[in-house]
Amino acid sequence: YDELCTGERNEALYTVVETNLQQFVEIIGGVLPGIVLSSIGFESNGGCKCGCGVKCDTAYMRWNCPGDIGYACDTSFDAELL
Protein backbone atom coordinates (compact mmCIF):
# COMPACT_ATOMS: atom_id res chain seq x y z
CA TYR A 1 0.00 0.00 0.00
CA ASP A 2 2.78 2.43 0.88
CA GLU A 3 4.52 1.81 -2.43
CA LEU A 4 1.31 2.62 -4.31
CA CYS A 5 0.87 5.89 -2.41
CA THR A 6 4.48 7.15 -2.32
CA GLY A 7 6.18 5.27 -5.14
CA GLU A 8 8.91 4.12 -2.71
CA ARG A 9 9.47 0.81 -0.95
CA ASN A 10 9.82 1.27 2.82
CA GLU A 11 9.35 -2.23 4.25
CA ALA A 12 12.90 -2.24 5.64
CA LEU A 13 12.18 0.95 7.58
CA TYR A 14 8.99 -0.57 9.01
CA THR A 15 10.87 -3.71 10.03
CA VAL A 16 13.58 -1.70 11.80
CA VAL A 17 11.04 0.44 13.65
CA GLU A 18 9.01 -2.62 14.72
CA THR A 19 12.10 -4.52 15.89
CA ASN A 20 13.44 -1.55 17.87
CA LEU A 21 10.04 -1.01 19.48
CA GLN A 22 9.94 -4.67 20.55
CA GLN A 23 13.43 -4.39 22.03
CA PHE A 24 12.58 -1.23 23.99
CA VAL A 25 9.46 -2.88 25.41
CA GLU A 26 11.49 -5.96 26.42
CA ILE A 27 14.12 -3.80 28.11
CA ILE A 28 11.52 -1.85 30.06
CA GLY A 29 9.60 -5.03 30.93
CA GLY A 30 12.77 -6.74 32.13
CA VAL A 31 14.30 -3.86 34.09
CA LEU A 32 11.27 -2.15 35.60
CA PRO A 33 10.19 -5.06 37.86
CA GLY A 34 13.72 -5.31 39.25
CA ILE A 35 13.81 -1.59 40.00
CA VAL A 36 10.42 -1.72 41.71
CA LEU A 37 11.34 -4.81 43.76
CA SER A 38 14.67 -3.35 44.86
CA SER A 39 13.00 -0.07 45.82
CA ILE A 40 10.68 -1.90 48.21
CA GLY A 41 13.61 -3.77 49.76
CA PHE A 42 13.40 -7.21 48.10
CA GLU A 43 16.61 -9.26 48.35
CA SER A 44 16.93 -12.32 46.18
CA ASN A 45 17.85 -15.45 48.15
CA GLY A 46 18.10 -13.25 51.27
CA GLY A 47 21.77 -14.04 51.87
CA CYS A 48 21.11 -17.79 52.17
CA LYS A 49 24.21 -19.97 52.07
CA CYS A 50 22.28 -22.93 50.70
CA GLY A 51 18.73 -23.92 49.79
CA CYS A 52 16.51 -22.99 46.85
CA GLY A 53 18.21 -25.54 44.63
CA VAL A 54 21.70 -25.16 46.15
CA LYS A 55 22.65 -28.32 48.08
CA CYS A 56 23.69 -27.79 51.69
CA ASP A 57 26.97 -29.32 52.87
CA THR A 58 25.62 -30.33 56.29
CA ALA A 59 23.60 -33.55 56.45
CA TYR A 60 19.85 -33.11 57.00
CA MET A 61 20.01 -29.34 56.45
CA ARG A 62 17.52 -28.04 53.86
CA TRP A 63 18.43 -24.32 53.97
CA ASN A 64 20.64 -21.96 55.92
CA CYS A 65 19.61 -18.32 55.86
CA PRO A 66 20.35 -15.50 58.30
CA GLY A 67 18.02 -16.07 61.25
CA ASP A 68 16.43 -19.20 59.77
CA ILE A 69 17.66 -22.78 59.33
CA GLY A 70 15.56 -25.66 58.01
CA TYR A 71 16.25 -29.33 58.78
CA ALA A 72 14.68 -32.57 57.55
CA CYS A 73 14.69 -36.17 58.85
CA ASP A 74 16.07 -37.49 55.57
CA THR A 75 18.80 -36.28 53.27
CA SER A 76 16.60 -36.54 50.15
CA PHE A 77 15.42 -33.30 48.58
CA ASP A 78 11.70 -34.05 48.99
CA ALA A 79 11.90 -35.09 52.67
CA GLU A 80 9.36 -33.67 55.14
CA LEU A 81 10.65 -30.74 57.18
CA LEU A 82 10.95 -30.94 60.95
Side-chain angles (χ1 to χ4, degrees), residues 3-80:
E3 184 179 0
L4 291 175
C5 293
T6 64
E8 297 177 358
R9 298 184 64 170
N10 294 316
E11 55 270 355
L13 175 68
Y14 296 138
T15 302
V16 168
V17 169
E18 179 187 8
T19 303
N20 284 339
L21 221 87
Q22 288 174 350
Q23 289 176 345
F24 291 140
V25 168
E26 288 176 10
I27 290 170
I28 292 170
V31 171
L32 191 61
I35 292 171
V36 170
L37 286 173
S38 66
S39 69
I40 62 172
F42 178 78
E43 293 180 22
S44 63
N45 210 15
C48 296
K49 296 176 185 171
C50 64
C52 297
V54 178
K55 185 167 174 40
C56 294
D57 295 331
T58 309
Y60 305 107
M61 185 179 288
R62 292 290 297 276
W63 66 80
N64 184 3
C65 299
D68 187 26
I69 297 176
Y71 289 99
C73 294
D74 191 353
T75 57
S76 65
F77 184 73
D78 59 349
E80 291 288 326

